[in-house]
Amino acid sequence: MADVNAPLRVLLVDDDAMVRAGLSMMIDGARGITVVGRAVDGDEALSAVQDSNPHVVLMDLRMPRVDGITATRRLRRLPNPPEVIVLTTFDADEDILHALRAGASGFLLKDTPPEQIVAAILSVAAGDPILSPQITRRLMDRAAAQTDAHVTASAALAGLSTREHEVVLAVAQGRTNAEIAAELFMSVATVKAHLTHVFGKLGLNNRTQIAVLAREAGLV
């Protein structure tokens, strides 16, 4: 999560020079956002992240050499990884689902209005995913229909404590940390500690992945 008092650093990854230039013009300087780097494909993304240390990466999907899904997976394995928002012209269920499972915190189309892209960057940097409810429900329903995914998700969640299960369910229902704390009669710090344990046990990176896994397991 980015420091709210520091400039928000963003890296652009897209093989289209006009898209990179357009995005840079739209978001650089908006509401404290600074574009700190650009990469032409997923292969360059890793070194660009290491050089510029961004808080958020805007990632294209279809690129030469290394695609956005593979690049996202690699970036999210880094120590203190940046958040990733996939920004693409494609909205196929399979693309969205693969992006989320790779660790992306959001999914936007390239025709999204500039102010919504800026809002999404700020939201993701604050730790909140930016998928629309319609897309989230569509993907969760699709994942839940897959028997193998259900079995795998149920087995993964079986290793959690009762309290961790309750936190996972609340996250899947869209609760904020403050709402979870009030609902389960614990401090926000305790909620965050449980989430840290959940991320570690399940090998996940963000709340969206928790919600997908909970849906796959049939919890919501």
Side-chain angles (χ1 to χ4, degrees):
M1 185 180 299
D3 182 349
V4 294
N5 296 314
L8 191 56
R9 302 164 63 84
V10 174
L11 172 72
L12 308 177
V13 183
D14 198 294
D15 62 328
D16 189 324
M18 292 186 64
V19 171
R20 295 195 303 273
L23 285 172
S24 185
M25 290 179 61
M26 286 191 297
I27 66 177
D28 193 30
R31 299 176 66 180
I33 294 173
T34 300
V35 174
V36 294
R38 300 163 184 80
V40 302
D41 59 28
D43 189 48
E44 283 191 6
L46 184 60
S47 59
V49 164
Q50 293 170 331
D51 290 341
S52 61
N53 191 30
H55 299 110
V56 178
V57 174
L58 290 185
M59 180 77 73
D60 190 18
L61 272 187
R62 309 292 172 84
M63 296 180 290
R65 296 199 297 177
V66 177
D67 62 62
I69 302 298
T70 302
T72 296
R73 188 177 298 111
R74 291 177 180 176
L75 294 184
R76 292 300 297 170
R77 289 173 179 165
L78 294 173
N80 301 314
E83 300 295 339
V84 177
I85 298 175
V86 169
L87 189 63
T88 181
T89 55
F90 304 95
D91 65 346
D93 285 1
E94 204 65 34
D95 288 334
I96 302 169
L97 192 56
H98 284 319
L100 295 179
R101 285 177 170 163
S105 295
F107 196 103
L108 294 176
L109 296 180
K110 287 183 178 177
D111 60 0
T112 300
E115 63 273 14
Q116 291 183 24
I117 294 177
V118 170
I121 292 170
L122 296 173
S123 178
V124 164
D128 298 319
I130 49 81
L131 284 180
S132 71
Q134 295 86 348
I135 290 179
T136 301
R137 176 59 57 185
R138 195 172 92 203
L139 293 179
M140 289 179 174
D141 287 342
R142 174 191 171 99
Q146 299 174 356
T147 302
D148 289 345
H150 175 78
V151 172
T152 300
S154 297
L157 294 176
L160 301 181
S161 68
T162 300
R163 210 56 163 160
E164 288 165 350
H165 265 285
E166 292 173 342
V167 171
V168 164
L169 178 58
V171 168
Q173 292 170 336
R175 307 280 199 276
T176 64
N177 286 350
E179 290 169 339
I180 296 172
E183 185 175 305
L184 299 181
F185 303 102
M186 62 177 69
S187 68
V188 171
T190 301
V191 174
K192 291 180 179 179
H194 282 308
L195 282 172
T196 297
H197 294 154
V198 168
F199 288 142
K201 288 182 177 180
L202 300 179
L204 303 180
N205 295 302
N206 56 54
R207 300 167 79 95
T208 305
Q209 289 178 311
I210 288 180
V212 170
L213 190 68
R215 184 66 182 179
E216 288 175 342
L219 295 186
V220 291

